[in-house]
Amino acid sequence: MLLSFAEENYLKTIYHLSHGGKYEVSTNAIAEALDTKAASVSDMIRKLHNKGAVSYQKYQGVNISSEGGKAALQLIRKHRLWEVFLVEKLKFNWDEVHEIAEQLGHIRSPLF
């Protein structure tokens, strides 16, 4: 599943808010978490639904699909690995690595 930077961030947010797919999440909750408007969330949900990353029914909320859950877990795993690498190998402090790991986690090079 090929996702844009923004789609990846939405997927991770939905995964976290749904507690790994256990609960439906409202568009308002997603909008609040991402500091955006509910209308923007609805547009992105449609895109993610069309890609098979989430299940969505109008007025029922959104939940992550099994394929979307795998993608979200992969993104979260990459983020955490980057954080550990930055701390252990490059000697950053833990409070410095989140934003850097967020950027590095979206790199899609198979060689990297």
Side-chain angles (χ1 to χ4, degrees), residues 14-15 18 20-25 53-56 61-65:
I14 294 165
Y15 183 84
S18 70
K22 294 178 184 171
Y23 305 103
E24 302 286 324
V25 180
V54 298
S55 59
Y56 174 71
V62 64
N63 206 334
I64 199 139
S65 69

Side-chain angles (χ1 to χ4, degrees), residues 7 15 17 25 29 34 39 55-56 68 76 80-81 88 99 104:
E7 289 169 334
Y15 183 84
L17 291 173
V25 180
L34 293 172
S55 59
Y56 174 71
I76 293 164
R80 289 180 180 159
L81 287 171
E88 291 185 3
E99 287 302 319
L104 292 169

Side-chain angles (χ1 to χ4, degrees), residues 34-98:
L34 293 172
D35 194 27
T36 190
K37 297 186 187 303
S40 299
V41 172
S42 295
D43 289 342
M44 183 60 78
I45 295 301
R46 263 186 242 104
K47 290 178 187 178
L48 291 170
H49 179 73
N50 290 339
K51 290 185 176 191
V54 298
S55 59
Y56 174 71
Q57 290 186 357
K58 204 169 188 175
Y59 308 115
Q60 299 293 318
V62 64
N63 206 334
I64 199 139
S65 69
S66 61
E67 189 170 334
K70 289 176 191 174
L73 283 173
Q74 182 69 19
L75 291 163
I76 293 164
R77 181 176 184 270
K78 284 176 20 180
H79 179 93
R80 289 180 180 159
L81 287 171
W82 276 117
E83 287 180 331
V84 171
F85 174 78
L86 291 166
V87 170
E88 291 185 3
K89 300 299 182 189
L90 299 182
K91 306 302 179 196
F92 279 84
N93 292 320
W94 277 106
D95 61 342
E96 300 173 314
V97 297
H98 177 74

